Amino acid sequence: MKDIFDALEKGHNEFLHSLEDATAWSPSQRITAWQAQAAEMSNMAELMGRGLTKHLTHITDVHKQRWQDSLTAYGKAFEDLTQAQTQGALYNAFESYWKDAAQRVVLTMDTLRQRGDNFIEHEEAGCPPVLIYDYDLVLDGADLPHPCCYMLLKIRPPENTPCRDPKPWKRPYIIIDPRAGHGAGIGGFKPDSQVGVALRDGHPVYFVAFKRMPEKGQTLADVTRAEAAFVRKVKELHPEAPNPVVTGNCQGGWATLLLAATNPDLTGPIILNGAPVSTWAGRVGENPMRYNGGILGGTYNAMFYSDLGHGVFDGADIVQNFELLNPARNYFGKYYDLYAKVDTEPHRFLEFERWWGGYFLLNEAEMKWIVEQLFVGNRLSKNEAQLEPGRNVDIKQIRAPIIVFASFGDNITPPQQALNWILDTYADEREIAIRGQRIIYMVHDQVGHLGIFVSSKIAKKEHTEVTSTLKTIEALPPGLYEMSIDDYEGELLDRQFTVSFHERGMDDLRALDDGREDEIPFAAVARASEQQAEFYDVCVRPFVQAGVTEQSADLRRRTHPLRLQRELLSSMNPFLSALPGWAEKAKAERQPVASDNPFVELERVNAAMIEQSMDLFRDLRDTMYENLFYTIWGSPYMRWFGRTKQPGRTLKHADELRSLPPVQAALMHVEEGGFREAVVRMLILLAESRGNVRRDRLERSSRVLTQDEPFRSLTPDERSFMLQEQTLIVEFAPERALSSLPKLLKSKEERELAAKVVRYIPGDIDEMTPHTLEMLQSFHKVLGLPPATGNITEDPLAESATPAKADADIEPAVTEAPVRKPAAAAAKTRTAQKASPRKPAARKAATRKAAASKPATGRKQGTSARKSEEPAE
């Protein structure tokens, strides 16, 4: 016993020594740690309670209302039955209904048989794109140095659709469809889809499609290289046009980000439609799909199912997961709609099912990258994603404008997943501007995931406007904007939109979310997923692979429930051989029942009740999913377990932005430039003093910088470079920016003309803010001009401008020589151009990627402009 006490005696036990160590936790530190853990548990309990309350409130409100509506409909149906019995018409109503119902059953079954036949034919043909347009193969990814299954297609404008004549200077459009189990073609699935909107405006349209089976050894890096080769090919085919617009749908959206980040010089504006980038994000009580990684097991799942496929992952498994998101719609609703509207619905149903039922395959390396880097690891927004070892993908490298389209009606990619990467990538909106980036986003309240890029009227309106405003978007100052479409007028080919651009900050994006505390448990999922994947790779995979052959993998794919249900309901089934004849007979004898037939009303109510019961199951399942997820992964231990995966990228402090190379390069040239640089600089200084701009000021500024010489002859890259450089000068050296103006404007004529331009854009002096007027007077004082008085109501450069007209025969400034001008105007323009000895493009090699600008239009709140579709490049 004495030895035991001696061992515990202070000075004789290493444990007691550790308690005296300065690095060991003191009792107060332990209490602090316990308090922190208690706070974490309290926060998680509050979060789970908030989510549970939201779920239950939704279930109560929605299903209560639907139940009441169904009871009301039941009551009306029984009243109509009683009335029909009283009138002696009940038997006739019953006879008419059952005859109609029998015919609808036959026609519905025959439509399902046609779906099965279409499926088999589509599979035998190799699942070609479901585009409704004819196309030509331009480049096959299988022929590239790094082969892949992707293809570049050129869409032929349809002869029976009114389209503007294509011009060599029209900016090409490249559309990348998602490869997420389905085939390509959804972006050109309808006449009003993205392809149709761009074709009608006279743009060349290219489509990035893919084959059903990936090339052997194909990786996501190979796919990105192929997409870059496609863009280069399009640029080669259209040398007079600006860089092409690249549109990415859903998972094609993050693929577009990879392309633009690894090849920043290739693309023009990029458009992301419902693209999941920040995959941990979402609202508590909504968006259950993001919990799949934590509930179903993470990366090893993709590895296991790839092994069962002999190294190939079956896209039908992804599609089945999508269907489970909304079982009422996918397993009952769409079939009942077909049955209820069998006289008009089959064509639309078969069209959609041809795409929905085309199942594509991915290599294990591709699927593992998608799950590990994006959906479980969330590495793209944290700047940790690697296409290949040592090749990080940094979204900050993108220089083209980024347009993001999201919707609260999207249950696959909610707005938070489409937008929160901006919060994770940039310190604030000021860094976006300083780096010369333009990010414009649109958020809708209703349109669903497929509606974003199929045929929704809302989506059509959004896509049409994006097609017709890209030139204005490129002329916007760098920064973060929300775009809204307020109204439109006119026929399709001459339609004009009223568009508003509202300058936004990071807080506006945060307001779309309900906080980011709910993302912390995903870090533990990411770490656990890595460990599970390692264990599976070392201890389980050899046995799984040993039991799989190419034949067994093919058998598993052929017997997948989604494929099997289509094959069983096809002409291959001998029991359905008589169905086509019955269907023809039913069509010949078709007698649709009256819509007010009481038995039809009863049928609709029963269908609504069935669909509601399935929706109730879905809502309860999602509630359980969310609470199970946070119960497992939201505990203090699991938060500690995931601590190494929690940190995002280290963002620069505002003071550190001055050290960026583009900023230093711009500050070295404060005293260089001419008329153009001076006007832009003065407009930016005005914007700094004003803080916002009205719509009329935006229109005047846009006209001067894009339609008037000497600005009109600038290429988009030169104009963007000038705006960025002058913004950096104003941002980091405002006093030198003002005092050095006389060195840019050497002659009195130049100074007077520049002063008139700068006074013309803000409008009437009486409407100017005191700060704006004070800055104007400062310009005049520095330039040695008399004080500013009176208003400039006419554009001082208008005589040298191109008529602001949507004329298909007028080429844009980027490719067209200056138009002929009156002698006086020509002399004025020559003076301004000679005074600009150093064009922005002269130092492109050193500072081409200079960041940033608040343009002549300045920082705006709710600015807007009205434009036609024709000048949309």
Side-chain angles (χ1 to χ4, degrees):
M1 184 65 69
K2 181 177 181 299
D3 293 337
I4 295 176
F5 282 107
D6 288 340
L8 294 176
E9 185 179 348
K10 183 177 179 181
H12 293 270
N13 191 289
E14 292 299 323
F15 174 71
L16 296 180
H17 277 300
S18 70
L19 293 180
E20 293 181 343
D21 188 350
T23 62
W25 282 18
S26 66
S28 62
Q29 290 174 318
R30 292 186 182 278
I31 292 174
T32 302
W34 292 336
Q35 289 175 339
Q37 291 181 7
E40 286 182 356
M41 293 179 66
S42 175
N43 292 339
M44 189 54 57
E46 186 275 332
L47 185 147
M48 292 175 64
R50 176 157 44 93
L52 183 61
T53 300
K54 195 170 184 178
H55 278 294
L56 295 180
T57 301
H58 170 80
I59 291 173
T60 302
D61 294 344
V62 172
H63 289 281
K64 176 184 176 182
Q65 184 61 47
R66 291 176 67 177
W67 174 255
Q68 290 174 344
D69 293 342
S70 296
L71 288 180
T72 303
Y74 264 128
K76 184 178 183 305
F78 283 118
E79 286 179 6
D80 291 345
L81 284 171
T82 304
Q83 185 178 1
Q85 183 179 17
T86 303
Q87 296 174 351
L90 183 62
Y91 178 79
N92 292 335
F94 179 77
E95 184 179 31
S96 300
Y97 170 76
W98 277 111
K99 185 174 183 179
D100 169 77
Q103 291 173 341
R104 283 189 287 151
V105 167
V106 171
L107 294 175
T108 299
M109 292 300 297
D110 189 60
T111 303
L112 295 178
R113 178 193 62 80
Q114 294 177 55
R115 181 186 71 167
D117 292 348
N118 290 346
F119 168 77
I120 294 172
E121 179 186 351
H122 195 55
E123 288 272 312
E124 290 176 350
C127 295
V130 296
L131 294 164
I132 64 169
Y133 302 94
D134 294 330
Y135 54 83
D136 298 312
L137 177 63
V138 177
L139 193 59
D140 191 338
D143 300 329
L144 296 174
H146 297 271
C148 72
C149 64
Y150 280 64
M151 306 173 290
L152 178 65
L153 311 176
K154 182 173 184 179
I155 305 298
R156 300 179 196 165
E159 297 179 358
N160 58 349
T161 302
C163 297
R164 287 192 173 95
D165 294 333
K167 299 290 182 182
W169 47 264
K170 280 279 190 179
R171 189 192 292 274
Y173 277 71
I174 301 175
I175 297 172
I176 302 178
D177 253 10
R179 184 162 162 250
H182 301 106
I186 196 67
F189 184 68
K190 297 279 187 179
D192 293 332
S193 59
Q194 298 157 331
V195 172
V197 169
L199 283 176
R200 280 195 293 272
D201 200 36
H203 294 270
V205 179
Y206 294 83
F207 205 90
V208 176
F210 37 85
K211 302 169 189 173
R212 178 175 176 270
M213 179 66 72
E215 294 290 324
K216 188 174 180 62
Q218 173 179 314
T219 66
L220 259 297
D222 297 333
V223 172
T224 303
R225 289 191 187 96
E227 291 169 345
F230 295 161
V231 177
R232 292 189 185 96
K233 183 64 176 179
V234 172
K235 291 177 65 175
E236 177 186 326
L237 295 174
H238 301 274
E240 297 181 44
N243 285 353
V245 176
V246 182
T247 298
N249 295 326
C250 187
Q251 297 204 45
W254 55 254
T256 301
L257 277 180
L258 296 181
L259 167 66
T262 53
N263 301 273
D265 61 320
L266 278 185
T267 72
I270 63 175
I271 303 172
L272 313 180
N273 288 317
V277 181
S278 185
T279 52
W280 290 357
R283 286 179 174 176
V284 178
E286 303 174 22
N287 318 127
M289 191 175 182
R290 62 181 177 143
Y291 304 125
N292 279 351
I295 300 298
L296 301 180
T299 308
Y300 91 88
N301 254 319
M303 300 166 65
F304 174 67
Y305 282 105
S306 297
D307 287 340
L308 293 181
H310 206 250
V312 176
F313 188 92
D314 189 359
D317 291 325
I318 305 177
V319 177
Q320 191 171 46
N321 198 30
F322 288 149
E323 289 190 345
L324 288 171
L325 272 178
N326 192 356
R329 182 65 199 163
N330 291 303
Y331 299 139
F332 178 78
K334 69 177 181 181
Y335 297 110
Y336 176 72
D337 285 349
L338 172 64
Y339 170 72
K341 306 171 186 175
V342 75
D343 297 310
T344 58
E345 187 73 4
H347 178 70
R348 189 210 63 81
F349 176 85
L350 292 174
E351 258 191 344
F352 180 78
E353 287 293 308
R354 187 164 174 262
W355 172 75
W356 188 257
Y359 307 117
F360 281 58
L361 311 178
L362 298 92
N363 279 342
E364 187 229 340
E366 296 178 282
M367 193 63 196
K368 183 182 178 184
W369 192 97
I370 293 170
V371 174
E372 186 176 63
Q373 303 274 338
L374 288 176
F375 290 98
V376 174
N378 194 34
R379 296 179 183 178
L380 184 57
S381 64
K382 295 193 295 182
N383 196 34
E384 296 176 0
Q386 291 189 341
L387 271 177
E388 296 169 305
R391 188 185 178 192
N392 271 49
V393 180
D394 189 355
I395 298 177
K396 284 185 180 179
Q397 296 301 315
I398 299 175
R399 291 293 173 261
I402 302 174
I403 303 163
V404 184
F405 183 26
S407 170
F408 282 113
D410 189 346
N411 64 342
I412 294 177
T413 306
Q416 297 79 24
Q417 292 189 12
L419 295 171
N420 276 7
W421 62 268
I422 303 171
L423 298 171
D424 297 333
T425 303
Y426 298 96
D428 54 23
E429 60 276 8
R430 183 168 172 262
E431 184 183 357
I432 297 176
I434 289 174
R435 291 186 179 274
Q437 183 54 272
R438 297 164 182 82
I439 302 177
I440 300 94
Y441 68 92
M442 298 178 289
V443 181
H444 202 275
D445 291 333
Q446 300 173 6
V447 61
H449 189 71
L450 290 179
I452 288 176
F453 42 84
V454 185
S455 61
S456 164
K457 291 182 179 179
I458 301 167
K460 172 186 172 183
K461 182 180 176 183
E462 302 285 8
H463 291 148
T464 301
E465 184 48 32
V466 169
T467 304
S468 65
T469 57
L470 287 176
K471 189 174 182 180
T472 298
I473 286 173
E474 287 190 305
L476 281 173
L480 177 66
Y481 300 90
E482 181 178 8
M483 174 180 165
S484 62
I485 302 169
D486 304 323
D487 196 10
Y488 65 89
E489 59 186 22
E491 297 300 325
L492 181 62
L493 289 181
D494 299 309
R495 181 164 294 169
Q496 291 186 335
F497 290 86
T498 300
V499 183
S500 297
F501 293 92
H502 307 266
E503 189 171 13
R504 300 301 189 208
M506 294 301 190
D507 289 339
D508 295 297
L509 293 181
R510 294 187 185 98
L512 297 174
D513 207 340
D514 59 352
R516 307 197 69 179
E517 181 77 9
D518 56 319
E519 297 179 27
I520 294 177
F522 288 89
V525 176
R527 186 177 183 186
S529 176
E530 287 185 357
Q531 296 181 355
Q532 291 169 357
E534 289 292 331
F535 177 81
Y536 173 82
D537 189 48
V538 173
C539 301
V540 180
R541 166 167 275 180
F543 300 100
V544 176
Q545 290 181 339
V548 176
T549 64
E550 186 60 48
Q551 292 74 23
S552 68
D554 184 64
L555 178 64
R556 179 185 179 273
R557 286 192 286 269
R558 291 182 63 87
T559 56
H560 193 282
L562 295 184
R563 291 189 180 90
L564 206 57
Q565 67 171 322
R566 285 165 170 77
E567 291 187 354
L568 290 177
L569 288 175
S570 70
S571 296
M572 293 179 62
N573 187 339
F575 294 102
L576 301 181
S577 58
L579 194 55
W582 293 350
E584 290 300 324
K585 183 178 179 181
K587 288 179 183 178
E589 301 175 356
R590 185 80 175 103
Q591 294 182 6
V593 69
S595 60
D596 59 350
N597 187 295
F599 292 99
V600 173
E601 295 178 8
L602 203 58
E603 173 197 294
R604 294 191 193 115
V605 177
N606 287 326
M609 291 292 288
I610 293 172
E611 193 163 352
Q612 181 184 353
S613 66
M614 298 179 74
D615 283 341
L616 179 60
F617 160 77
R618 177 203 62 199
D619 294 340
L620 292 173
R621 178 204 64 189
D622 293 348
T623 304
M624 180 203 69
Y625 239 54
E626 183 173 89
N627 281 273
L628 180 61
F629 177 87
Y630 287 115
T631 299
I632 296 173
W633 302 104
S635 66
Y637 174 77
M638 281 301 176
R639 291 160 72 98
W640 173 86
F641 176 75
R643 71 196 185 283
T644 57
K645 300 296 180 183
Q646 285 180 20
R649 70 183 298 166
T650 302
L651 301 176
K652 283 186 176 294
H653 190 270
D655 297 337
E656 298 174 321
L657 296 174
R658 187 182 182 91
S659 64
L660 291 174
V663 177
Q664 295 299 313
L667 294 179
M668 292 173 62
H669 299 86
V670 175
E671 299 179 358
E672 297 183 21
F675 181 84
R676 292 167 174 158
E677 289 79 4
V679 169
V680 169
R681 185 183 300 181
M682 287 191 285
L683 291 174
I684 295 171
L685 284 165
L686 274 184
E688 290 287 336
S689 66
R690 186 169 60 240
N692 60 73
V693 65
R694 300 194 313 265
R695 171 184 165 184
D696 57 341
R697 290 175 178 173
L698 172 64
E699 291 174 344
R700 289 192 293 270
S701 175
S702 178
R703 176 185 174 87
V704 167
L705 294 182
T706 60
Q707 298 293 331
D708 293 353
E709 289 292 0
F711 300 99
R712 182 177 180 273
S713 56
L714 293 173
T715 67
D717 285 343
E718 290 171 338
R719 184 180 295 108
S720 175
F721 177 86
M722 183 187 299
L723 287 168
Q724 294 169 13
E725 183 178 59
Q726 297 305 317
T727 295
L728 293 175
I729 291 172
V730 171
E731 181 78 30
F732 291 98
E735 294 182 0
R736 290 183 63 196
L738 179 62
S739 62
S740 60
L741 284 175
K743 297 186 178 181
L744 276 63
L745 299 168
K746 297 180 174 59
S747 68
K748 182 179 179 181
E749 292 79 9
E750 282 184 318
R751 296 178 182 183
E752 290 177 345
L753 180 59
K756 288 181 180 179
V757 173
V758 173
R759 284 171 56 195
Y760 162 71
I761 288 177
D764 294 345
I765 286 183
D766 294 339
E767 297 180 0
M768 294 182 188
T769 64
H771 293 294
T772 302
L773 187 57
E774 181 181 348
M775 183 59 69
L776 272 178
Q777 300 297 359
S778 299
F779 295 156
H780 281 246
K781 181 178 180 180
V782 167
L783 295 174
L785 300 175
T789 58
N791 298 320
I792 304 294
T793 58
E794 299 294 331
D795 183 356
L797 302 177
E799 292 177 322
S800 63
T802 298
K805 172 183 175 184
D807 189 341
D809 297 326
I810 296 178
E811 295 186 5
V814 295
T815 59
E816 183 182 78
V819 297
R820 307 184 78 177
K821 304 177 282 293
K828 188 187 303 182
T829 302
R830 282 196 301 271
T831 300
Q833 288 177 331
K834 286 179 181 178
S836 298
R838 188 185 65 84
K839 292 175 68 175
R843 288 191 296 107
K844 269 192 279 188
T847 53
R848 183 73 165 183
K849 304 302 180 185
S853 118
K854 291 173 197 159
T857 58
R859 293 297 182 187
K860 299 175 286 302
Q861 298 293 332
T863 62
S864 61
R866 186 178 294 271
K867 301 174 296 306
S868 73
E869 283 187 349
E870 181 56 34
E873 295 168 54

